[in-house]
């Protein structure tokens, strides 16, 4: 039976805990109002995605509202261009602030009045020292500051001077307005902070209306208060500003419940720069092609590279919210991108470094058209296209080796290889030019092997992608690497000049003359593809055209960065036939535990897996069976046949639920994210239990979303999935009757709030919606909930 779970649902992070407690205690009458307050002085970056998702996400979850507010109090660096681009980028991310768009500069009049309030209360004074004098008299961390000689000016004199500042009677720097707090405060920001300064500058929205401008510490808290913000969430660099945030609001006269500031750790990513001020010099110096350079961590850059917005949202969700800073390995971001693309990108064939193949025994002329599926079996999409097959083809140069290294599984002189979706071919002759460079391979094809099978059961080692020579499309392909050679995160942000020296000269590789299968010519421009075995790609929206195909690599198929840094080799573009590398020490890479941290020292695990299979033929048999008989993707088959323990677990799960691709997805995607660095053997349940859970989802008893919570519980303490679903109250909620019963329970649990609501506090609806959503673990539709709640409450 459903339970309301009041007080038992743990909030996801410490900020949500605070908001939840405030909602429950009725601190703001159940209201939750948050805001995202960028300064329009550059373009948004992925750090902002964290702030936006947190602010907007909390408001949505607690039935509140969120504001987009441009914090445009600094005339010198701000611009309409940035205002527009930021809005566009936030929309692209998938958030809509509706009518709640605000500009701090619209409050200049009110802010000025608040400043007069402080002056009249004797809490602010006009200081006529120079900027240098003010700085020098502020003291140091170990020594107190010295009072300004103007600190004791009378209220009348202060008011007169401040009004004349407003009336533009003075030059820049002649006076400032300062808070009268404490020149000996241990918090340097509290030593009579400057609140207003004179700037004869043109403001992009206010024009020449103002020649005094408020400083952040004075303005920000008041903007929050004007808008009725409840929880003012910002990144950790503002911790010391909290004291002045509170001082200004209290001094001006805002009483509880007033806004409060809470800080969370900034997002920092290895080898990336996440601050507008630090990105700007790179753009200005031409180190990148613009704010939308695909190597930048700006939203423009990601968008141009082809990164889907949901991947960025998922990424910041994976990172989570904490108080302490930690630098995230960029491999985690790549993982989040692949995770989305893996389930949506059609697979097509492309050859980046073409080597010509002539099939001597194949007919001359047009050849045939082979049907090739767009998606592997474990992707929930279907579709296929025809690929023309003919006598002349291209394969990847790296898929042939005249003198193969040990373990080489592709084409060698006299050897066979399978052409994806086509035939098995044998290399009969290697043709070279005068310099000894291989220019062509003469091969024969086996007509009996159409589709790739070998009727006589002979083993063919590898499968390679190809494109038909005559029909191939020519394309330019751009591969991207990390923009910086080494650490370029927060610590270095104050020295933008140094960043220029750290730019990785190989961060972009342009390949001319790649060959792509002809089907892509018919697709929409924004199709994101997987070029088989090479990576995810899409057409560059800026430089590409119908005449000229230009593809950006969004992300390689597997991480190659860990391997390179492990060998401490300089960053170099990886070879096009990248071998797979998965950061892991256990059988399957973990989503959260494994991608972070020690990944850079780890060896190429998939190479280890390949080696393990060579050494242990029973693993090789499993791999073959999983990829052919069970129809798993090569990636999944590879991961699940990594060891006997993994294979046994998988097969035990299949006993309980005979849907290989579903079970594989549970194991590879969900379980690995939850179990951290723990091996399968360390889990308090076995494969059967995982299979049983998958069966409950397939049978409609529990939503896949809610089943993840069950799995999380199982990882912690074991247990029978069916019992857990019942115990945790996760039975799928799909009809109004079930929902109505949850609603009744929620209303019963909050009698006081129900009375308040009926007495007119309509904004409590947010609290009720939030509680119902929590009780159903998000399994209900919030719109329906709101509707039913309103009806119930009117009764
Ligand atoms: P600047 O370099 O101009 O300070 P910024 O990149 O820090 O730019 P702001 O306009 O100062 O961006 O920040 C807007 C909001 O986004 C703030 O609330 C800030 O706390 C948040 N924010 C900025 N950078 C990050 C980040 N890396 N991680 C999380 N939040 C961030
Ligand atoms: Mg900032």
């Amino acid at each position: 039976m459903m339970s309301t779970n009041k007080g038992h649902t743990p909030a996801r992070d410490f900020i949500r805990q605070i908001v939840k407690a405030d909602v429950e205690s009725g601190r703001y009458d159940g209201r939750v109002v948050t805001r995202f307050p960028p300064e329009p002085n550059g373009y948004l970056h992925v750090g902002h995605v964290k702030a936006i998702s947190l602010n907007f996400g909390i408001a949505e979850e607690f039935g509140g509202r969120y504001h987009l507010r441009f914090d445009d109090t600094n005339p010198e660096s701000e611009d309409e261009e940035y205002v527009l681009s930021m809005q566009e980028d936030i929309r692209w991310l998938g958030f809509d602030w509706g009518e709640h768009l605000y500009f701090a500069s619209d409050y200049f009049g009110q802010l000025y009045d608040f400043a007069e309030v402080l002056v009249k209360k004797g809490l602010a004074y006009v200081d006529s020292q120079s900027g240098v004098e003010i700085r020098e008299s502020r003291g140091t961390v170990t020594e107190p500051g010295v009072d300004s000689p103007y600190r004791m000016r009378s209220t009348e004199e202060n008011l007169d001077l401040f009004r004349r500042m407003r009336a533009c009677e003075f030059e820049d720097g002649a006076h400032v307005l300062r808070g009268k707090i404490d020149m000996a405060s241990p918090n340097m920001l509290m030593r009579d902070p400057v609140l207003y300064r004179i700037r004869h500058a043109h403001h992009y929205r206010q024009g020449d209306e103002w020649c005094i401008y408020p400083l952040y510490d004075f303005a920000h808290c008041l903007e929050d208060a004007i808008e009725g913000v409840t929880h003012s969430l910002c990144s950790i660099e503002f911790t010391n500003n909290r004291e002045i945030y509170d001082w200004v609001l209290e001094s001006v006269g805002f009483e509880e419940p007033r806004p409060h500031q809470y800080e969370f750790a900034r997002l920092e990513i290895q080898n990336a720069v996440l601050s507008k001020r630090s990105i700007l010099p790179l753009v200005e110096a031409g180190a990148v092609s613009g704010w939308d350079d695909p190597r930048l961590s700006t939203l423009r850059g990601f968008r141009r590279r082809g990164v889907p917005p949901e991947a960025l949202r998922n990424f910041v969700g994976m990172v989570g919210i904490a108080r302490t800073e930690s630098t995230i390995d960029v491999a985690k971001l790549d993982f989040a991108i692949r995770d989305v693309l893996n389930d949506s990108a059609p697979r097509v064939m492309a050859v980046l470094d073409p080597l010509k193949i002539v099939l001597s025994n194949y007919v001359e002329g047009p050849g045939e058209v082979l049907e090739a599926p767009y998606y592997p079996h474990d992707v929930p999409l279907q579709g296929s296209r025809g690929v023309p097959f003919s006598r002349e083809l291209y394969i990847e140069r790296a898929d042939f080796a005249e003198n193969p290294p040990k373990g080489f599984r592709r084409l060698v002189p006299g050897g066979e290889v399978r052409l994806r979706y086509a035939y098995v071919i044998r290399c009969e002759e290697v043709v070279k030019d005068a310099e000894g460079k291989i220019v062509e391979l003469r091969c024969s094809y086996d007509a009996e092997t159409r589709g790739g099978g070998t009727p006589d059961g002979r083993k063919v080692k590898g499968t390679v992608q190809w494109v038909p020579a005559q029909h191939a499309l020519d394309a330019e392909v751009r591969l991207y690497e990390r923009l910086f050679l080494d650490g370029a995160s927060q610590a270095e942000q104050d020295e933008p000049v140094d960043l220029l020296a750290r730019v990785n000269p190989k961060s972009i590789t342009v390949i001319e003359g790649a060959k792509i299968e002809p089907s892509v010519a018919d697709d929409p421009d924004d199709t994101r593809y997987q070029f088989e075995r090479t990576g995810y790609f899409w057409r560059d929206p800026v430089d590409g055209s119908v005449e000229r195909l230009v593809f950006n690599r969004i992300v390689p198929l597997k991480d190659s960065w860990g391997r390179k840094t492990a060998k401490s080799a300089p960053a170099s573009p990886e070879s096009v036939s990248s071998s797979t590398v998965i950061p892991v020490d256990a059988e399957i890479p973990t989503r959260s535990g494994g991608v972070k941290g020690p990944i850079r020292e780890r060896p190429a695990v998939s190479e280890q897996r390949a080696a393990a299979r060579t050494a242990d033929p029973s693993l090789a048999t499993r791999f073959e069976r999983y990829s052919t008989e069970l129809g798993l993707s090569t990636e999944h088959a590879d991961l699940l046949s990594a060891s006997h323990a993994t294979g046994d677990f998988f097969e035990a799960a299949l006993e309980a639920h005979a849907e290989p691709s579903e079970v594989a997805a549970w194991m590879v995607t969900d379980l690995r994210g939850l179990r951290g660095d723990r091996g399968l053997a360390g889990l308090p349940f076995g494969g059967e239990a995982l299979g049983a859970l998958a069966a409950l989802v397939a049978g409609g008893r529990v939503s896949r979303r809610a089943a993840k919570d069950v799995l999380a519980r199982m990882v912690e303490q074991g247990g029978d999935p069916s019992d857990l679903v019942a115990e945790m109250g996760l039975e799928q909620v799909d009809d109004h009757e079930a929902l109505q019963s949850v609603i009744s329970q929620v209303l019963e649990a909050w009698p006081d709030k129900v009375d308040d609501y009926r007495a007119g506090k309509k904004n409590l609806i947010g609290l009720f919606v939030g509680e119902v959503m929590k009780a159903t673990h998000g399994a209900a539709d919030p719109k329906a909930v709101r509707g039913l709640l309103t009806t119930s409450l009117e009764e």
Side-chain angles (χ1 to χ4, degrees):
M1 191 53 243
M2 195 77 54
S3 73
T4 59
N5 251 335
K6 179 164 104 58
H8 302 299
T9 327
R12 240 190 300 155
D13 52 63
F14 78 96
I15 303 257
R16 285 175 167 87
Q17 271 162 24
I18 294 169
V19 176
K20 181 174 189 267
D22 286 349
V23 167
E24 284 173 1
S25 73
R27 185 177 189 182
Y28 297 96
D29 290 339
R31 255 182 335 118
V32 174
V33 182
T34 58
R35 85 287 172 269
F36 173 63
E39 184 183 356
N41 62 350
Y43 287 78
L44 296 179
H45 51 70
V46 65
H48 294 121
V49 179
K50 179 172 180 177
I52 296 169
S53 300
L54 179 69
N55 277 293
F56 292 9
I58 283 185
E60 272 173 354
E61 286 156 38
F62 289 89
R65 65 170 203 261
Y66 52 83
H67 295 183
L68 170 61
R69 181 206 313 149
F70 287 100
D71 207 349
D72 54 355
T73 55
N74 177 11
E76 272 129 353
S77 46
E78 294 157 3
D79 200 280
E80 185 71 18
E81 175 199 346
Y82 300 131
V83 168
L84 296 175
S85 72
M86 284 180 168
Q87 293 185 56
E88 212 180 283
D89 287 353
I90 300 172
R91 282 218 182 82
W92 173 76
L93 256 191
F95 291 100
D96 183 0
W97 51 91
E99 62 201 15
H100 295 291
L101 172 65
Y102 303 98
F103 292 86
S105 56
D106 288 349
Y107 310 142
F108 279 168
Q110 289 173 82
L111 295 175
Y112 174 82
D113 291 343
F114 288 136
E116 279 208 358
V117 170
L118 290 185
V119 173
K120 288 176 189 158
K121 284 187 176 178
L123 292 172
Y125 63 97
V126 173
D127 192 353
S128 308
Q129 296 183 97
S130 71
V132 174
E133 285 167 336
I134 290 177
R135 211 173 316 125
E136 285 176 353
S137 59
R138 188 172 283 149
T140 64
V141 193
T142 49
E143 288 162 48
V146 178
D147 283 2
S148 161
Y150 303 98
R151 199 171 197 261
M152 299 314 289
R153 269 177 170 152
S154 70
T155 301
E156 293 67 38
E157 189 181 0
N158 282 325
L159 202 54
D160 174 60
L161 283 171
F162 188 46
R163 287 183 177 160
R164 289 165 60 198
M165 281 168 67
R166 159 80 180 96
C168 300
E169 288 186 23
F170 306 112
E171 292 299 305
D172 284 6
H175 308 283
V176 291
L177 184 74
R178 294 179 77 175
K180 198 170 183 176
I181 310 181
D182 178 7
M183 288 305 289
S185 169
N187 180 353
M188 299 281 288
L189 294 179
M190 293 294 278
R191 295 186 184 172
D192 289 10
V194 174
L195 309 181
Y196 262 94
R197 59 190 177 137
I198 303 173
R199 273 286 177 286
H200 290 267
H202 187 84
H203 188 275
Y204 78 103
R205 270 173 76 84
Q206 299 293 329
D208 299 318
E209 172 69 23
W210 293 88
C211 61
I212 57 169
Y213 289 93
L215 275 95
Y216 173 87
D217 281 326
F218 175 72
H220 197 83
C221 53
L222 291 167
E223 295 157 19
D224 285 343
I226 290 169
E227 290 175 17
V229 166
T230 55
H231 299 82
S232 181
L233 312 177
C234 60
S235 39
I236 215 99
E237 73 268 26
F238 294 98
T239 305
N240 286 338
N241 304 67
R242 189 187 337 123
E243 206 176 342
I244 174 161
Y245 186 102
D246 293 334
W247 183 87
V248 170
L249 288 186
E250 276 159 22
S251 304
V252 166
F254 282 95
E255 287 171 2
E256 295 289 355
R258 61 166 175 82
H260 282 266
Q261 173 184 309
Y262 304 93
E263 309 89 27
F264 59 91
R266 283 177 78 88
L267 178 67
E268 293 294 342
I269 302 181
Q270 240 164 29
N271 304 99
V273 177
L274 302 187
S275 155
K276 287 179 268 118
R277 265 171 298 176
S278 309
I279 299 172
L280 183 64
L282 298 168
V283 175
E284 285 178 339
V288 292
S289 64
W291 284 96
D292 69 347
D293 190 298
R295 293 166 296 173
L296 283 176
S297 301
T298 53
L299 297 197
R300 291 282 152 130
F302 284 124
R303 185 173 172 178
R304 175 161 175 196
R305 206 169 94 197
V307 172
E310 56 268 45
L312 298 181
R313 295 200 309 264
N314 294 349
F315 167 65
V316 299
M318 278 159 65
V319 170
I321 299 295
R323 277 197 180 91
T324 41
E325 307 250 313
S326 64
T327 301
I328 307 300
D329 195 302
V330 73
K332 195 166 196 160
L333 174 57
D334 287 352
F335 178 90
I337 299 170
R338 280 196 289 267
D339 207 36
V340 168
L341 295 176
N342 180 51
D343 276 352
S344 55
R347 275 64 169 171
V348 297
M349 294 192 288
V351 167
L352 303 197
D353 185 10
L355 174 60
K356 191 167 188 182
I357 303 271
V358 179
L359 301 177
S360 334
N361 60 341
Y362 196 84
V363 288
E364 307 256 1
E368 62 196 301
V369 174
L370 299 171
E371 195 69 3
Y374 272 132
Y375 304 98
H377 297 283
D378 57 332
V379 168
L381 293 169
Q382 286 181 347
S384 64
R385 80 286 182 191
V387 188
F389 186 86
S390 52
R391 191 179 152 89
E392 298 194 350
L393 314 163
Y394 294 111
I395 65 166
E396 204 67 78
R397 190 166 281 276
D399 283 339
F400 174 76
E402 202 174 14
N403 304 298
K406 206 164 167 286
F408 189 78
R409 289 168 56 89
R410 289 152 286 162
L411 196 58
V412 299
E416 285 188 319
V417 80
R418 181 181 293 108
L419 295 178
R420 186 84 158 138
Y421 307 123
Y423 297 93
V424 171
I425 61 167
R426 175 186 301 279
C427 173
E428 310 287 359
E429 189 190 340
V430 180
V431 183
K432 298 181 180 176
D433 66 10
E435 275 88 54
K437 186 180 178 206
I438 300 170
V439 288
E440 189 180 299
L441 302 177
R442 295 278 161 81
C443 300
S444 59
Y445 89 110
D446 178 349
E448 300 294 306
T449 59
R450 194 172 197 265
T454 48
D456 58 0
R458 73 182 188 274
K459 284 255 179 294
V460 176
K461 273 192 278 177
T463 300
V464 303
Q465 78 273 26
W466 53 277
V467 293
Q470 204 196 336
H471 297 95
L473 305 172
D474 290 307
E476 175 182 318
V477 169
R478 299 173 181 177
L479 308 181
Y480 302 104
E481 286 285 332
R482 314 305 172 211
L483 181 54
F484 296 100
L485 288 170
D486 53 30
S489 52
Q490 181 67 40
E492 284 82 19
Q493 284 195 6
D494 294 334
E495 301 164 46
V497 187
D498 272 354
L499 283 182
L500 285 174
R502 296 221 172 94
V503 169
N504 173 7
K506 294 182 175 159
S507 53
I508 174 167
T509 305
V510 177
I511 297 174
E512 316 257 6
K515 304 280 183 187
I516 321 268
E517 68 164 74
S519 70
V520 309
D522 303 327
D523 296 328
D525 283 354
D526 60 355
T527 309
R528 295 174 174 93
Y529 296 100
Q530 184 188 108
F531 288 176
E532 294 207 24
R533 297 174 63 224
T534 307
Y536 292 99
F537 291 80
W538 92 329
R539 266 171 253 194
D540 184 89
V542 177
D543 294 338
S545 66
V546 182
E547 294 78 43
R548 178 161 172 257
L549 279 179
V550 179
F551 279 93
N552 289 330
R553 184 168 65 187
I554 306 168
V555 66
L557 276 190
K558 293 285 162 64
D559 183 52
S560 58
W561 181 247
R563 179 186 38 161
K564 279 180 304 207
T565 40
K567 286 185 193 156
S568 73
S572 63
E574 58 162 24
S575 95
V576 284
S577 61
S578 68
S579 55
T580 54
V581 179
I582 295 179
V584 69
D585 51 10
E587 310 88 333
I588 296 183
T590 53
R591 184 189 287 254
S592 50
V595 181
K596 212 159 102 181
I599 157 192
R600 298 162 99 235
E601 274 81 53
R602 288 178 186 159
V605 178
S606 84
E607 281 163 12
Q608 287 180 352
R609 283 197 295 269
R613 279 196 292 271
T614 317
D616 183 347
S618 67
L619 288 180
T621 314
R622 275 187 161 165
F623 175 79
E624 283 302 321
R625 191 165 83 79
Y626 294 175
S627 53
T628 52
E629 202 180 305
L630 301 186
L632 297 186
S633 68
T634 315
E635 274 159 69
H636 282 181
D638 177 36
L639 289 166
L640 295 172
S641 62
S643 71
H644 289 284
T646 311
D648 291 348
F649 192 98
F650 174 59
E651 288 176 26
L654 283 181
E655 292 290 316
H657 185 57
E659 287 295 336
S661 59
E662 283 173 30
V663 172
W666 276 106
M667 261 186 87
V668 174
T669 313
D670 302 284
L671 186 55
R672 74 176 151 171
L674 290 167
R675 67 189 170 88
D677 287 323
R678 231 186 310 173
L680 290 170
L683 292 174
F685 62 91
E688 338 56 333
L690 183 74
L693 181 65
L696 292 180
V697 174
R701 166 107 183 276
V702 58
S703 74
R704 200 173 192 292
R705 244 278 307 114
K708 285 188 190 178
D709 291 350
V710 176
L711 188 59
R713 182 73 70 87
M714 287 163 65
V715 169
E716 269 164 30
Q717 47 183 246
D720 172 72
S722 176
D723 293 348
L724 284 172
V725 168
E727 204 178 298
M728 295 166 74
L730 293 177
E731 239 85 271
Q732 189 128 269
V733 183
D734 52 3
D735 60 358
H736 281 190
E737 210 169 305
L739 210 50
Q740 194 62 58
S741 107
V742 183
I743 286 176
S744 308
Q745 289 177 51
V746 167
L747 297 185
E748 271 162 36
W750 295 90
D752 299 352
K753 299 287 169 207
V754 171
D755 289 347
D756 290 351
Y757 178 93
R758 292 190 172 137
K761 289 198 174 163
K762 297 292 181 210
N763 54 18
L764 280 171
I765 190 79
L767 161 77
F768 298 126
V769 174
E771 284 301 309
V772 175
M773 292 310 291
K774 266 184 273 172
T776 61
H777 292 261
D781 168 17
K783 279 221 182 75
V785 171
R786 188 175 278 263
L788 288 173
L789 264 171
T790 317
T791 325
S792 305
L793 283 161
E794 299 305 329
E795 277 163 11

